[in-house]
């Protein structure tokens, strides 16, 4: 379990990935994303999660290069979008992301969604990029167990990460156990259920005990569950608040209580219907 904002999780290929990062979905390119990423880096974040689909890679790259932090101390994830899938298109999409981010390598590159009939070819391109030494780790996103099983039959390099929707209303028990068994690191997207969990009474009550917000309780629960988490905010104060979770520990009973809030409810699409 990581014990600080720059604490690392060791992936199945030995690469160290910060267990906490900033998500930038729906953050506008330009000033908005530059300000958010700058605030995060200044607060000690070392991991940024973007995607070609978010259309803000240029701004992320600008904030990273202006930060003065050496590139190798930062961990940058991007993802290949659905209309870029297939072997050749993916190779091109990767170059495009690098160019926009203004970097010559990525730390993690993910297949954004399991596009039926295409995701294996897409993943084969990721393997090529990895073998060429241009990305430190490759993985997938929004893969159910059956997608992973299907991919594992054919791939040469096991995905290092599966980034999926994960929060107290969607605890993904079977998928998490499968990923643990296969040594694929789970990563939580929409950890705050896009803000829709912040009035949850059980979480509020636990928060009151520690003098912490509901957001902080959820993010701490992620960390104690060994799930990498990437909350999004464009507000400096919340960016700092979200990361201020390394000075308390939820009890086993509280962890179980939060697990018990699961209702298998998604805020985003089910990968089988997308
Ligand atoms: P989150 O669960 O991180 O919630 C973000 C929302 O919560 C925003 O409206 C934000 O508002 C608000 N918020 C953040 N912190 C606080 C706080 N402390 N108190 C109150 N409100 C708060 O949603 P996301 O969907 O953005 O998920 C996180 C990241 O996961 C994304 O940004 C993206 O990087 C990734 N992702 C990946 C997907 C995939 O398919 N692989 C899909 C979806 C997301 P404000 O900004 O105004 O503070």
């Amino acid at each position: 379990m990581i014990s600080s904002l720059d604490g690392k999780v060791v992936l199945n290929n030995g690469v160290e990935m910060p267990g906490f990062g900033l998500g930038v979905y729906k953050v506008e390119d330009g000033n908005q994303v530059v300000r958010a990423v700058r605030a995060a880096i200044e607060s000690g974040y070392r991991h940024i999660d973007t995607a070609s689909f978010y259309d803000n890679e240029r701004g992320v790259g600008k904030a990273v290069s202006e930060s003065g932090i050496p590139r190798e101390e930062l961990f940058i994830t991007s993802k290949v979008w659905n209309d870029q899938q297939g072997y050749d298109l993916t190779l091109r999409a990767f170059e495009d992301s690098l160019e926009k981010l203004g970097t010559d390598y990525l730390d993690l590159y993910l297949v954004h969604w399991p596009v039926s009939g295409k995701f294996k070819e897409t993943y084969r391109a990721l393997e090529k990029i990895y073998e060429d030494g241009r990305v430190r780790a490759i993985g997938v996103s929004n893969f159910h167990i059956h997608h992973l099983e299907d991919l594992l039959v054919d791939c040469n390099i096991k995905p290092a990460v599966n980034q999926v929707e994960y929060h107290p209303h969607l605890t993904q028990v079977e998928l998490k156990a499968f990923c643990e068994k296969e040594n694929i690191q789970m990563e939580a997207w929409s950890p705050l259920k896009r803000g829709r969990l912040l009035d949850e009474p059980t979480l509020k009550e636990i928060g009151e005990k520690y003098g912490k917000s509901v957001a902080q309780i959820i993010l701490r629960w992620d960390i104690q569950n060994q799930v990498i988490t990437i909350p999004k905010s464009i507000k400096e104060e919340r960016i700092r608040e979200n990361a201020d979770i390394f000075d308390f520990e939820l009890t086993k009973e509280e962890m179980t209580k939060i697990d018990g809030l699961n209702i298998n409810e998604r805020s985003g699409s089910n990968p089988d219907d997308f």
Side-chain angles (χ1 to χ4, degrees), residues 223-241:
I223 297 301
Q224 289 187 214
N225 272 326
Q226 322 277 1
V227 175
I228 293 177
T229 192
I230 46 170
K232 170 260 175 188
S233 180
I234 53 168
K235 302 194 171 67
E236 246 185 274
E237 216 177 276
R238 288 178 177 173
I239 290 171
R240 272 197 303 274
E241 171 192 327

Side-chain angles (χ1 to χ4, degrees), residues 15-16 25 41 49 62-63 65 84 96 99 108 115 136 166-167 187 207 211 217-218 223 246 259 269:
V15 163
E16 294 186 334
Y25 179 39
I41 293 176
D49 182 89
K62 183 167 189 278
S65 74
Q84 301 172 313
D96 194 46
E99 188 271 317
L108 179 65
V115 174
R136 296 174 65 229
Y166 178 87
H167 46 65
E187 180 176 11
I217 296 299
I218 297 174
I223 297 301
F246 296 100
D259 292 340
S269 303

Side-chain angles (χ1 to χ4, degrees), residues 24 66 74 115 162 164 206 218 247:
V24 295
E66 286 173 359
L74 294 166
V115 174
N162 186 17
V164 296
I206 297 173
I218 297 174
D247 57 354

